[in-house]
PDB file of all heavy atoms in Angstrom:
ATOM      1  N   SER U 113      54.636 108.362 101.845  1.00 83.00           N
ATOM      2  CA  SER U 113      53.643 107.359 101.469  1.00 83.00           C
ATOM      3  C   SER U 113      54.354 106.248 100.703  1.00 83.00           C
ATOM      4  O   SER U 113      55.477 106.411 100.230  1.00 83.00           O
ATOM      5  CB  SER U 113      52.557 108.000 100.601  1.00 83.00           C
ATOM      6  OG  SER U 113      53.111 108.435  99.375  1.00 83.00           O
ATOM      7  N   THR U 114      53.708 105.119 100.593  1.00 81.00           N
ATOM      8  CA  THR U 114      54.316 103.958  99.941  1.00 81.00           C
ATOM      9  C   THR U 114      54.743 104.282  98.518  1.00 81.00           C
ATOM     10  O   THR U 114      55.835 103.893  98.084  1.00 81.00           O
ATOM     11  CB  THR U 114      53.314 102.785  99.925  1.00 81.00           C
ATOM     12  OG1 THR U 114      52.805 102.599 101.245  1.00 81.00           O
ATOM     13  CG2 THR U 114      53.979 101.517  99.472  1.00 81.00           C
ATOM     14  N   GLY U 115      53.919 105.000  97.797  1.00 84.00           N
ATOM     15  CA  GLY U 115      54.249 105.359  96.421  1.00 84.00           C
ATOM     16  C   GLY U 115      55.484 106.237  96.338  1.00 84.00           C
ATOM     17  O   GLY U 115      56.364 106.029  95.493  1.00 84.00           O
ATOM     18  N   ASN U 116      55.582 107.237  97.228  1.00 83.00           N
ATOM     19  CA  ASN U 116      56.749 108.126  97.218  1.00 83.00           C
ATOM     20  C   ASN U 116      58.025 107.376  97.603  1.00 83.00           C
ATOM     21  O   ASN U 116      59.097 107.630  97.052  1.00 83.00           O
ATOM     22  CB  ASN U 116      56.531 109.309  98.154  1.00 83.00           C
ATOM     23  CG  ASN U 116      55.563 110.310  97.587  1.00 83.00           C
ATOM     24  OD1 ASN U 116      55.340 110.341  96.371  1.00 83.00           O
ATOM     25  ND2 ASN U 116      54.966 111.136  98.438  1.00 83.00           N
ATOM     26  N   LEU U 117      57.923 106.449  98.573  1.00 84.00           N
ATOM     27  CA  LEU U 117      59.089 105.646  98.949  1.00 84.00           C
ATOM     28  C   LEU U 117      59.574 104.834  97.762  1.00 84.00           C
ATOM     29  O   LEU U 117      60.781 104.746  97.500  1.00 84.00           O
ATOM     30  CB  LEU U 117      58.752 104.718 100.119  1.00 84.00           C
ATOM     31  CG  LEU U 117      58.612 105.353 101.492  1.00 84.00           C
ATOM     32  CD1 LEU U 117      58.185 104.312 102.516  1.00 84.00           C
ATOM     33  CD2 LEU U 117      59.918 105.974 101.911  1.00 84.00           C
ATOM     34  N   LEU U 118      58.645 104.203  97.032  1.00 84.00           N
ATOM     35  CA  LEU U 118      59.030 103.408  95.866  1.00 84.00           C
ATOM     36  C   LEU U 118      59.674 104.276  94.792  1.00 84.00           C
ATOM     37  O   LEU U 118      60.642 103.863  94.148  1.00 84.00           O
ATOM     38  CB  LEU U 118      57.814 102.675  95.305  1.00 84.00           C
ATOM     39  CG  LEU U 118      57.288 101.529  96.163  1.00 84.00           C
ATOM     40  CD1 LEU U 118      55.999 100.963  95.579  1.00 84.00           C
ATOM     41  CD2 LEU U 118      58.331 100.443  96.292  1.00 84.00           C
ATOM     42  N   LYS U 119      59.132 105.491  94.596  1.00 85.00           N
ATOM     43  CA  LYS U 119      59.717 106.398  93.604  1.00 85.00           C
ATOM     44  C   LYS U 119      61.163 106.735  93.951  1.00 85.00           C
ATOM     45  O   LYS U 119      62.040 106.719  93.092  1.00 85.00           O
ATOM     46  CB  LYS U 119      58.905 107.697  93.529  1.00 85.00           C
ATOM     47  CG  LYS U 119      57.646 107.603  92.739  1.00 85.00           C
ATOM     48  CD  LYS U 119      56.965 108.971  92.711  1.00 85.00           C
ATOM     49  CE  LYS U 119      55.549 108.866  92.184  1.00 85.00           C
ATOM     50  NZ  LYS U 119      54.855 110.161  92.262  1.00 85.00           N
ATOM     51  N   ARG U 120      61.397 107.035  95.239  1.00 84.00           N
ATOM     52  CA  ARG U 120      62.766 107.373  95.658  1.00 84.00           C
ATOM     53  C   ARG U 120      63.705 106.187  95.492  1.00 84.00           C
ATOM     54  O   ARG U 120      64.838 106.343  95.082  1.00 84.00           O
ATOM     55  CB  ARG U 120      62.763 107.857  97.094  1.00 84.00           C
ATOM     56  CG  ARG U 120      62.335 109.314  97.199  1.00 84.00           C
ATOM     57  CD  ARG U 120      62.579 109.851  98.577  1.00 84.00           C
ATOM     58  NE  ARG U 120      61.398 109.572  99.392  1.00 84.00           N
ATOM     59  CZ  ARG U 120      61.394 109.490 100.705  1.00 84.00           C
ATOM     60  NH1 ARG U 120      62.500 109.652 101.377  1.00 84.00           N
ATOM     61  NH2 ARG U 120      60.280 109.241 101.364  1.00 84.00           N
ATOM     62  N   LYS U 121      63.220 104.980  95.832  1.00 83.00           N
ATOM     63  CA  LYS U 121      64.044 103.780  95.676  1.00 83.00           C
ATOM     64  C   LYS U 121      64.397 103.557  94.209  1.00 83.00           C
ATOM     65  O   LYS U 121      65.539 103.248  93.868  1.00 83.00           O
ATOM     66  CB  LYS U 121      63.314 102.543  96.211  1.00 83.00           C
ATOM     67  CG  LYS U 121      63.384 102.394  97.700  1.00 83.00           C
ATOM     68  CD  LYS U 121      62.752 101.090  98.110  1.00 83.00           C
ATOM     69  CE  LYS U 121      62.769 100.895  99.599  1.00 83.00           C
ATOM     70  NZ  LYS U 121      62.174  99.623 100.001  1.00 83.00           N
ATOM     71  N   LYS U 122      63.416 103.704  93.317  1.00 82.00           N
ATOM     72  CA  LYS U 122      63.657 103.507  91.890  1.00 82.00           C
ATOM     73  C   LYS U 122      64.639 104.540  91.358  1.00 82.00           C
ATOM     74  O   LYS U 122      65.505 104.242  90.540  1.00 82.00           O
ATOM     75  CB  LYS U 122      62.346 103.587  91.103  1.00 82.00           C
ATOM     76  CG  LYS U 122      61.525 102.334  91.162  1.00 82.00           C
ATOM     77  CD  LYS U 122      60.315 102.442  90.257  1.00 82.00           C
ATOM     78  CE  LYS U 122      59.462 101.190  90.328  1.00 82.00           C
ATOM     79  NZ  LYS U 122      58.290 101.276  89.460  1.00 82.00           N
ATOM     80  N   LYS U 123      64.490 105.770  91.824  1.00 82.00           N
ATOM     81  CA  LYS U 123      65.371 106.845  91.367  1.00 82.00           C
ATOM     82  C   LYS U 123      66.828 106.515  91.702  1.00 82.00           C
ATOM     83  O   LYS U 123      67.726 106.671  90.864  1.00 82.00           O
ATOM     84  CB  LYS U 123      64.956 108.151  92.033  1.00 82.00           C
ATOM     85  CG  LYS U 123      65.587 109.370  91.453  1.00 82.00           C
ATOM     86  CD  LYS U 123      64.978 110.604  92.104  1.00 82.00           C
ATOM     87  CE  LYS U 123      65.489 111.864  91.448  1.00 82.00           C
ATOM     88  NZ  LYS U 123      64.944 113.069  92.057  1.00 82.00           N
ATOM     89  N   VAL U 124      67.084 106.047  92.912  1.00 81.00           N
ATOM     90  CA  VAL U 124      68.439 105.691  93.321  1.00 81.00           C
ATOM     91  C   VAL U 124      68.915 104.454  92.565  1.00 81.00           C
ATOM     92  O   VAL U 124      70.067 104.370  92.132  1.00 81.00           O
ATOM     93  CB  VAL U 124      68.504 105.462  94.847  1.00 81.00           C
ATOM     94  CG1 VAL U 124      69.822 104.876  95.266  1.00 81.00           C
ATOM     95  CG2 VAL U 124      68.248 106.766  95.565  1.00 81.00           C
ATOM     96  N   ALA U 125      68.035 103.473  92.382  1.00 77.00           N
ATOM     97  CA  ALA U 125      68.419 102.233  91.704  1.00 77.00           C
ATOM     98  C   ALA U 125      68.796 102.498  90.255  1.00 77.00           C
ATOM     99  O   ALA U 125      69.730 101.891  89.727  1.00 77.00           O
ATOM    100  CB  ALA U 125      67.277 101.226  91.780  1.00 77.00           C
ATOM    101  N   HIS U 126      68.082 103.412  89.598  1.00 80.00           N
ATOM    102  CA  HIS U 126      68.352 103.676  88.194  1.00 80.00           C
ATOM    103  C   HIS U 126      69.504 104.655  87.991  1.00 80.00           C
ATOM    104  O   HIS U 126      69.940 104.867  86.856  1.00 80.00           O
ATOM    105  CB  HIS U 126      67.087 104.208  87.505  1.00 80.00           C
ATOM    106  CG  HIS U 126      65.991 103.185  87.428  1.00 80.00           C
ATOM    107  ND1 HIS U 126      66.179 101.950  86.847  1.00 80.00           N
ATOM    108  CD2 HIS U 126      64.707 103.204  87.868  1.00 80.00           C
ATOM    109  CE1 HIS U 126      65.062 101.260  86.934  1.00 80.00           C
ATOM    110  NE2 HIS U 126      64.142 101.993  87.547  1.00 80.00           N
ATOM    111  N   GLU U 127      70.017 105.245  89.074  1.00 83.00           N
ATOM    112  CA  GLU U 127      71.123 106.201  88.946  1.00 83.00           C
ATOM    113  C   GLU U 127      72.374 105.525  88.380  1.00 83.00           C
ATOM    114  O   GLU U 127      73.069 106.098  87.549  1.00 83.00           O
ATOM    115  CB  GLU U 127      71.424 106.826  90.315  1.00 83.00           C
ATOM    116  CG  GLU U 127      72.364 107.999  90.262  1.00 83.00           C
ATOM    117  CD  GLU U 127      71.803 109.168  89.482  1.00 83.00           C
ATOM    118  OE1 GLU U 127      70.594 109.429  89.560  1.00 83.00           O
ATOM    119  OE2 GLU U 127      72.587 109.821  88.767  1.00 83.00           O
ATOM    120  N   GLU U 128      72.673 104.295  88.812  1.00 78.00           N
ATOM    121  CA  GLU U 128      73.833 103.572  88.285  1.00 78.00           C
ATOM    122  C   GLU U 128      73.666 103.298  86.795  1.00 78.00           C
ATOM    123  O   GLU U 128      74.609 103.443  86.012  1.00 78.00           O
ATOM    124  CB  GLU U 128      74.029 102.264  89.047  1.00 78.00           C
ATOM    125  CG  GLU U 128      74.521 102.449  90.454  1.00 78.00           C
ATOM    126  CD  GLU U 128      74.710 101.121  91.160  1.00 78.00           C
ATOM    127  OE1 GLU U 128      74.737 100.078  90.489  1.00 78.00           O
ATOM    128  OE2 GLU U 128      74.834 101.151  92.394  1.00 78.00           O
ATOM    129  N   GLN U 129      72.464 102.893  86.401  1.00 82.00           N
ATOM    130  CA  GLN U 129      72.217 102.642  84.982  1.00 82.00           C
ATOM    131  C   GLN U 129      72.398 103.928  84.180  1.00 82.00           C
ATOM    132  O   GLN U 129      72.965 103.905  83.082  1.00 82.00           O
ATOM    133  CB  GLN U 129      70.793 102.105  84.784  1.00 82.00           C
ATOM    134  CG  GLN U 129      70.584 100.719  85.356  1.00 82.00           C
ATOM    135  CD  GLN U 129      69.138 100.263  85.248  1.00 82.00           C
ATOM    136  OE1 GLN U 129      68.254 101.049  84.910  1.00 82.00           O
ATOM    137  NE2 GLN U 129      68.899  99.002  85.551  1.00 82.00           N
ATOM    138  N   ARG U 130      71.957 105.058  84.732  1.00 87.00           N
ATOM    139  CA  ARG U 130      72.122 106.328  84.032  1.00 87.00           C
ATOM    140  C   ARG U 130      73.592 106.658  83.850  1.00 87.00           C
ATOM    141  O   ARG U 130      74.002 107.152  82.793  1.00 87.00           O
ATOM    142  CB  ARG U 130      71.437 107.450  84.815  1.00 87.00           C
ATOM    143  CG  ARG U 130      69.946 107.409  84.740  1.00 87.00           C
ATOM    144  CD  ARG U 130      69.356 108.666  85.374  1.00 87.00           C
ATOM    145  NE  ARG U 130      67.994 108.388  85.776  1.00 87.00           N
ATOM    146  CZ  ARG U 130      67.529 108.482  86.998  1.00 87.00           C
ATOM    147  NH1 ARG U 130      68.300 108.871  87.971  1.00 87.00           N
ATOM    148  NH2 ARG U 130      66.267 108.197  87.260  1.00 87.00           N
ATOM    149  N   ASP U 131      74.409 106.385  84.886  1.00 88.00           N
ATOM    150  CA  ASP U 131      75.838 106.647  84.773  1.00 88.00           C
ATOM    151  C   ASP U 131      76.462 105.814  83.658  1.00 88.00           C
ATOM    152  O   ASP U 131      77.274 106.309  82.869  1.00 88.00           O
ATOM    153  CB  ASP U 131      76.546 106.348  86.105  1.00 88.00           C
ATOM    154  CG  ASP U 131      76.202 107.374  87.179  1.00 88.00           C
ATOM    155  OD1 ASP U 131      75.769 108.486  86.814  1.00 88.00           O
ATOM    156  OD2 ASP U 131      76.381 107.049  88.369  1.00 88.00           O
ATOM    157  N   VAL U 132      76.091 104.533  83.594  1.00 88.00           N
ATOM    158  CA  VAL U 132      76.626 103.657  82.550  1.00 88.00           C
ATOM    159  C   VAL U 132      76.199 104.154  81.174  1.00 88.00           C
ATOM    160  O   VAL U 132      77.008 104.213  80.227  1.00 88.00           O
ATOM    161  CB  VAL U 132      76.146 102.195  82.787  1.00 88.00           C
ATOM    162  CG1 VAL U 132      76.504 101.314  81.607  1.00 88.00           C
ATOM    163  CG2 VAL U 132      76.751 101.650  84.063  1.00 88.00           C
ATOM    164  N   ILE U 133      74.951 104.543  81.053  1.00 90.00           N
ATOM    165  CA  ILE U 133      74.444 105.044  79.764  1.00 90.00           C
ATOM    166  C   ILE U 133      75.169 106.327  79.373  1.00 90.00           C
ATOM    167  O   ILE U 133      75.561 106.505  78.214  1.00 90.00           O
ATOM    168  CB  ILE U 133      72.918 105.267  79.837  1.00 90.00           C
ATOM    169  CG1 ILE U 133      72.211 103.909  79.951  1.00 90.00           C
ATOM    170  CG2 ILE U 133      72.405 106.029  78.628  1.00 90.00           C
ATOM    171  CD1 ILE U 133      70.742 104.006  80.271  1.00 90.00           C
ATOM    172  N   ARG U 134      75.387 107.231  80.337  1.00 92.00           N
ATOM    173  CA  ARG U 134      76.108 108.478  80.043  1.00 92.00           C
ATOM    174  C   ARG U 134      77.506 108.180  79.519  1.00 92.00           C
ATOM    175  O   ARG U 134      77.974 108.813  78.566  1.00 92.00           O
ATOM    176  CB  ARG U 134      76.207 109.337  81.311  1.00 92.00           C
ATOM    177  CG  ARG U 134      74.954 110.091  81.633  1.00 92.00           C
ATOM    178  CD  ARG U 134      75.171 111.050  82.806  1.00 92.00           C
ATOM    179  NE  ARG U 134      73.885 111.455  83.340  1.00 92.00           N
ATOM    180  CZ  ARG U 134      73.460 111.196  84.566  1.00 92.00           C
ATOM    181  NH1 ARG U 134      74.211 110.540  85.420  1.00 92.00           N
ATOM    182  NH2 ARG U 134      72.269 111.600  84.953  1.00 92.00           N
ATOM    183  N   LYS U 135      78.180 107.211  80.149  1.00 93.00           N
ATOM    184  CA  LYS U 135      79.540 106.868  79.709  1.00 93.00           C
ATOM    185  C   LYS U 135      79.539 106.311  78.291  1.00 93.00           C
ATOM    186  O   LYS U 135      80.376 106.683  77.465  1.00 93.00           O
ATOM    187  CB  LYS U 135      80.174 105.849  80.671  1.00 93.00           C
ATOM    188  CG  LYS U 135      80.579 106.455  81.983  1.00 93.00           C
ATOM    189  CD  LYS U 135      81.164 105.418  82.905  1.00 93.00           C
ATOM    190  CE  LYS U 135      81.459 105.978  84.270  1.00 93.00           C
ATOM    191  NZ  LYS U 135      81.947 104.968  85.199  1.00 93.00           N
TER     192      LYS U 135
END
Side-chain angles (χ1 to χ4, degrees):
S113 65
T114 309
N116 286 339
L117 286 176
L118 289 174
K119 281 182 192 175
R120 280 191 272 157
K121 280 185 181 181
K122 281 185 181 180
K123 192 174 186 181
V124 171
H126 293 304
E127 191 63 37
E128 289 181 15
Q129 292 175 350
R130 287 188 203 121
D131 289 339
V132 171
I133 291 170
R134 281 187 197 117
K135 286 179 185 176

